[in-house]
Amino acid sequence: MSTSSATTATRVGTVAVVAHRKKTLGGGLDELRAELAAAGVERLIWYEVPKSRKAPKKVRKALRKGAELIFVWGGDGMVQRCADALSGSGTAMAILPAGTANLFAANLGIPEDLPEAVRIGLRGPRRTLDLGRINGEHFAVMAGAGFDGDLIREADRKLKGRLGRLAYMWTGLRHVRGELVRTRITVDGADWFDGEASCVLFGNVGTITGGIPAFDDARPDDGCLEIGVSTANGAVDWARTLGRMAAGRSEESPFVRITRGRKVKVRLAAPRTYELDGGARGETTRLKVRAVPGALTLCCPGPAA
């Protein structure tokens, strides 16, 4: 980790909470209020939203009111929406991992323990981390198009909550159509891939959707994104590919290529669903993706390994 990426918070001024009210952690939002009061937080701004897409407006409102630290209560979708609004602001974000999927928090060692997550937000080191940006919107964990986007769109929330990683695999294989699409990818201005592909992925951290360790070398503070493309076609190919990814051996799959870069352009011969941090965003034939170095200030448990 660079020497500029962490400082220790010694005091907290105005604190904001932006919470997805349908998500749960520990004793809930009542316990969160009690924890913040016990920690001596005197200037508290509090917002609750019914859906993550309503969070950015509250984040911007909190910034206008002078929030110096914003606690985000929810899962990866909530974190992504808030990180998008906070990008470049310099205001610190602290994650309270209350969602079904908390991959960004897990990659950074933030526990699903409310008192400890609050302590990290108030007193933990602050790291300056990268975000990715796809078609104008920031992401913290990953983005993708093709099979990955279809998988996200189809995954049943109850199934995901009950089975986690296996739910994504089962849902994905159940909905495989065997669709390969002509895909052209340029990385940092150079042609990298031109052929039939079923999925394109971009990772900011190593463990992605479904808890799968897809990108072993990914770091959220190296100024780059990991880029993967899969040529798996049909349920048998995808079963082999997902199995190797789940075992942390993505690079060994004959259906996967992985590289690293800062700016990526993708052209698809047919519209495909794309997603970011577990949220589907519709269909497109073009993706414009780039790393955004140092875009987010995040409260973390300790220095980077």
Side-chain angles (χ1 to χ4, degrees), residues 59 63 82-93 128-133 138 290 292-298:
V59 170
L63 290 175
C82 293
D84 187 46
L86 281 168
S87 176
S89 70
T91 298
M93 180 171 81
T128 303
L129 302 178
D130 308 334
L131 293 173
R133 187 173 173 90
H138 294 88
R290 66 183 178 93
V292 187
L296 182 67
T297 300
L298 190 75

